Amino acid sequence: MKVAVVGATGVVGGEILRILEERDLGITELVPIATARSAGRVLTHRGRSVEVVAIRPEAFGGVDVALFDTPDEASLEWAPVAAGRGAVVVDNSAAWRMDPDVPLVVPEINPEAAQHRPKGIIASPNCTMLTLVVPLAALHRQAGVNRVIMSSYQAASGAGKAGADELVEQIGVAARQPEVVGSGHRRDVVSRGRVFAHPLAMNVIPQIGSVRADGFTGEEVKVGEETRKVLGLPELRVTATCVRVPTLVGHAVSVHAEFDRAISADEARAVLREAPGVEVLDDTAAGIYPTPLEAAGRDACYVGRIRQDPDDDHALEWFSVTDNLRKGAALNAIQIAELFTNADRLR
């Protein structure tokens, strides 16, 4: 296949290129695409030098799969162009996820949805929602989920390179004067940056995305909408509270899920051990459970702290973590592309 990576010089675009080095998609030609500012940069793919080209219609000529990681506005403009030139577009932005004519795909859950793509576009979900839905789908298949309440703990890199850089800068400042930070005078030391609404170092921020009229944020709304679409459960009740935490990589979620029948923690562990894309780390007494550092650079969704609700034998609690740049974005898009083993199957 001839594969284009749009946004190749960004954080997730770089992760896509790294994963394409590891996994064999049968790529005969790789076309890295970015803005005109990055055009001409030389990247390496499997020992070959490839030059970044500026985004334009001609850049998609002959492309079988175009992996997009761009801002929503760029995806809205350029994904139809790429699709119009014959490419299957796999898009990581939020631009197309809730379009009724665009499938929202998690390959471990609904790979068949990728075959029906009227606009030639397949959407890849929000990284926080992926951390929730991969284990949730496996449990739903066994017991039927009807209610989800979750809180997220999301890394700075979820806001891009600028978010990660801002956290590192603030940690450096705070580390030099920890006694001041802890005395209530932290604003004199660590000030609000350009990316986050408050200082993130030595702090947590209970807002990700713009605030809606009902008090929920855009990120919280996405989690519910996208979970319902991927699971095919339009009436599923999902409530989310999304929080930014001072880690660099790895999104975590704490989940309360209610099911149609009783399900024990032991049964849940057994189900999750067999679930694709899931790895169970669950021995709390021995200090074994998922953490962002444990998940960093790895493919799986890690699940632990699995418990049956003491007041409801139809409900479970768990904690799960994924690398938000890898499985949460780059890898899921590539796994969608892997559903098509050769160019003939794309047509």
Side-chain angles (χ1 to χ4, degrees), residues 88-103:
V88 170
V89 173
V90 182
D91 182 55
N92 258 330
S93 80
W96 302 98
R97 291 174 186 158
M98 298 312 298
D99 188 311
D101 291 326
V102 174

Side-chain angles (χ1 to χ4, degrees), residues 263-342:
I263 180 168
S264 69
D266 285 342
E267 181 184 356
R269 291 186 193 97
V271 168
L272 293 171
R273 287 191 183 104
E274 298 299 318
V278 173
E279 185 167 332
V280 175
L281 299 175
D282 191 36
D283 186 351
T284 304
I288 297 172
Y289 35 72
T291 68
L293 286 178
E294 185 75 30
R298 298 184 176 184
D299 292 350
C301 177
Y302 294 89
V303 184
R305 298 299 317 281
I306 301 166
R307 295 149 286 153
Q308 187 181 61
D309 190 305
D311 299 313
D312 183 356
D313 64 4
H314 287 54
L316 293 171
E317 324 295 323
W318 72 84
F319 188 78
S320 58
V321 186
T322 59
D323 182 326
N324 56 298
L325 301 180
R326 195 167 174 93
K327 175 54 183 173
L331 177 61
N332 197 75
I334 290 171
Q335 288 175 308
I336 293 171
E338 288 176 337
L339 297 173
F340 311 101
T341 56
N342 58 60

Side-chain angles (χ1 to χ4, degrees), residues 92-135:
N92 258 330
S93 80
W96 302 98
R97 291 174 186 158
M98 298 312 298
D99 188 311
D101 291 326
V102 174
L104 184 65
V105 175
V106 180
E108 295 92 340
I109 300 171
N110 62 338
E112 69 288 344
Q115 299 300 330
H116 180 66
R117 44 184 195 279
K119 294 184 177 179
I121 301 169
I122 302 168
S124 187
N126 173 277
C127 47
T128 307
M129 173 269 191
L130 273 166
T131 309
L132 164 69
V133 81
V134 174

